[in-house]
Amino acid sequence: MAQSPDTPGNRATGRQLQVETHGLDVIADAERKGSPRTLFWPWFGANVSVLGLSYGSFALGFGTSFWQSLAAGVIGIVFSFLLCGFVAVAGKRGSAPTMVLSRAAYGVRGNRLPSVISWVLTVGWETVLCALATLATATVFGRLGWGGGTETKVVALVLVGALTVVGGVMGFDLIMRLQTVITVVTGVLTVVYIGLVADHIHWGTVSALPSGSAQEFIGTLVFMMTGFGLGWVNAAADYSRYLPRSSSGRGVIGWTTFGASLAPLLLLVFGLLLAGSSTKLSAAIAADPIGALTIILPTWFLVPFAVVAVLGLVGGAVLDIYSSGLALLSAGIRIPRYVAAFVDGVLMIAGSIYIVFFADDFLGQFMGFLTTLGVPIAAWCGIMLADLALRRRDYDDVDLYRPVGRYGDVPPTPLLLTVAATGLGWGLVTNSAAGWLDWQGYLLGPFGLGGKSGAWAYANLGVLAALALGFLGTLALTRTRVRAQESRAPSPSDAGAAV
């Protein structure tokens, strides 16, 4: 990924930027360069957003104390990004996008189901990030007396959307350069922000927050998982695929987990301290998660804050739009990668318009989105990780694209497991703040968990259940299938037709 393993730039340093032509194809050996440590930059840059501060308010909203929220956050963030690290190993073993490597478990065309789910999730995330960047810019301009109304939001949305779409269309080289810049700029300015508002922390108030129940702790934990690593796990191999296949698997896991977790952990601690010190600030964050953080800032730092907020959110959105384009191709749409990224960008802007100009309750809809799509993605993740754990050899590059190859076309077991795990998971989650999701939670009563108004209603057990069922079911039911696949000789490069 970098011309020098220790160069934070990336593999494109010294090369002229151009639109990436790679789509779902396997990266050739000559183009696989760098070392696992270069994974730090895209993952840190994508997760250094000041949105991490707002998660402090989200966590406390479950009714947990500071220490409970902190424990749930640390466990949820590290564990969920560790899952990303494991999936990233598949990238260096197969050198193809995540949702192509998933074909080994789901079959070449059976994999279109999780690809569609992955596409919806990534488009949803990039839409949320684009909308938040727009709202934050309008809030800052309003405080400065430079506007902040509809006109400001329109201009901000156009600029943020354009920057995100350009990054996604250009592809890997520009993204890696952009993420390095975002990492440095946002890292420095975020530290300055923390220093400026540190005097708003009142430890006496924070430490007096009452403890929540075990169910509320689990709900906080699952929310942190879905808000962080489970939102990225379906794209985790999209960047490690550029590494040589001889790269250390432990290094891939470690640098992915470390790079992705570092900023969210630090931001969460400070966000908990801020939100726990002021109920007014915590309530404001629910309506405008980024803009509300300007309430306690001195005026002279508002513009730098807007820069750090927008860059951090764009950093995540760019990675999402790149991966959403790959997921769209994997779902069976036959267009160039850069066209797919552009299509997703149009959808992102349309969704952002709804959030910015029409939606009333951001936090409720956001939490509903995370938990609802978090269930099938958790099921896919469990199946993908178990399949990867069962394999002892690298993927067969040719058969990843052939329905008649060793991985099959539409094997029923993984699809039935996904449907069963998703059905189980949706029956164990609730989203009362999002009215269109009130059908969920249908198993809470039959399972003796108190129904939709009981103590377990908001513990979001469905995400954990889907992850566990997908993983254990795959280990139990597909071991023989994987062994049969790996006993076959490598396929010749001209073998049969590809999808």
Side-chain angles (χ1 to χ4, degrees):
M1 253 197 243
Q3 298 213 356
S4 167
D6 299 321
T7 301
N10 50 62
R11 57 182 287 273
T13 301
R15 290 174 47 183
Q16 183 178 0
L17 282 175
Q18 55 187 347
V19 175
E20 181 187 0
T21 57
H22 288 302
L24 300 184
D25 51 310
V26 172
I27 305 302
D29 289 340
E31 297 185 64
R32 294 199 289 260
K33 302 176 182 179
S35 71
R37 72 177 60 192
T38 56
L39 293 173
F40 173 86
W41 300 100
W43 285 109
F44 185 89
N47 290 283
V48 72
S49 166
V50 292
L51 178 61
L53 292 170
S54 300
Y55 271 85
S57 173
F58 300 160
L60 293 175
F62 280 85
T64 49
S65 68
F66 169 80
W67 292 111
Q68 286 179 315
S69 297
L70 179 60
V74 171
I75 297 171
I77 290 170
V78 174
F79 177 70
S80 62
F81 279 125
L82 185 62
L83 300 180
C84 290
F86 286 127
V87 174
V89 172
K92 73 99 178 178
R93 290 177 62 177
S95 302
T98 312
M99 298 315 297
V100 170
L101 300 171
S102 177
R103 291 174 177 176
Y106 280 87
V108 175
R109 282 187 285 204
N111 190 62
R112 290 177 178 176
L113 172 63
S115 294
V116 169
I117 298 170
S118 174
W119 176 73
V120 173
L121 179 64
T122 47
V123 170
W125 261 114
E126 67 203 39
T127 300
V128 167
L129 296 176
C130 180
L132 288 177
T134 302
L135 291 171
T137 303
T139 300
V140 169
F141 273 56
R143 278 205 59 195
L144 290 170
W146 298 349
T150 301
E151 295 81 2
T152 303
K153 292 177 181 177
V154 169
V155 173
L157 179 58
V158 169
L159 293 177
V160 171
L163 184 58
T164 303
V165 172
V166 168
V169 169
M170 291 296 291
F172 182 82
D173 285 351
L174 178 60
I175 288 173
M176 292 298 286
R177 293 188 186 187
L178 183 64
Q179 293 299 77
T180 304
V181 174
I182 288 174
T183 296
V184 175
V185 174
T186 55
V188 171
L189 291 180
T190 299
V191 170
V192 175
Y193 173 88
I194 290 174
L196 289 173
V197 302
D199 59 346
H200 289 269
I201 294 174
H202 307 291
W203 176 246
T205 304
V206 174
S207 61
L209 292 172
S211 297
S213 64
Q215 294 91 336
E216 290 168 336
F217 174 82
I218 295 173
T220 307
L221 169 65
V222 175
F223 177 75
M224 301 304 285
M225 288 177 58
T226 55
F228 287 98
L230 281 181
W232 287 108
V233 70
N234 55 309
D238 292 353
Y239 303 93
S240 57
R241 67 182 175 134
Y242 282 90
L243 292 175
R245 296 196 187 190
S246 59
S247 300
S248 166
R250 291 183 179 180
V252 171
I253 296 170
W255 283 105
T256 298
T257 306
F258 176 65
S261 299
L262 180 60
L265 288 173
L266 297 175
L267 292 169
L268 173 66
V269 173
F270 199 75
L272 287 170
L273 292 171
L274 280 178
S277 300
S278 170
T279 55
K280 179 181 179 181
L281 175 62
S282 188
I285 288 174
D288 186 359
I290 304 298
L293 297 172
T294 66
I295 296 174
I296 52 179
L297 273 178
T299 303
W300 66 268
F301 192 71
L302 288 177
V303 171
F305 176 83
V307 171
V308 69
V310 170
L311 282 181
L313 294 168
V314 167
V318 166
L319 261 67
D320 274 320
I321 198 171
Y322 179 77
S323 293
S324 69
L326 295 174
L328 184 61
L329 298 182
S330 185
I333 305 300
R334 298 187 179 185
I335 54 178
R337 183 207 60 80
Y338 54 86
V339 175
F342 181 79
V343 170
D344 291 348
V346 173
L347 294 174
M348 174 192 73
I349 292 174
S352 298
I353 290 173
Y354 170 76
I355 293 175
V356 172
F357 297 103
F358 300 103
D360 297 324
D361 175 22
F362 170 82
L363 182 57
Q365 305 300 323
F366 178 56
M367 293 177 69
F369 163 74
L370 285 183
T371 53
T372 299
L373 288 184
V375 168
I377 284 296
W380 170 87
C381 182
I383 292 171
M384 180 71 177
L385 290 176
D387 181 81
L388 181 63
L390 289 171
R391 297 187 182 278
R392 299 294 178 263
R393 298 171 57 182
D394 287 345
Y395 296 98
D396 187 290
D397 294 347
V398 176
D399 282 352
L400 285 171
Y401 302 88
R402 295 196 310 136
V404 297
R406 72 189 66 210
Y407 302 124
D409 190 11
V410 189
T413 301
L415 294 173
L416 291 174
L417 265 178
T418 302
V419 172
T422 301
L424 173 65
W426 280 342
L428 296 175
V429 298
T430 57
N431 290 286
S432 60
W436 56 284
L437 297 173
D438 59 5
W439 53 270
Q440 295 176 348
Y442 45 81
L443 294 177
L444 290 169
F447 282 13
L449 297 174
K452 296 183 181 181
S453 58
W456 289 97
Y458 302 104
N460 292 326
L461 291 176
V463 175
L464 300 178
L467 178 66
L469 180 56
F471 184 81
L472 296 176
T474 301
L475 287 181
L477 300 175
T478 65
R479 187 180 302 272
T480 301
R481 174 173 174 260
V482 172
R483 291 291 172 264
Q485 291 173 355
E486 297 199 323
S487 67
R488 297 174 57 172
S491 301
S493 59
D494 59 348
V499 172

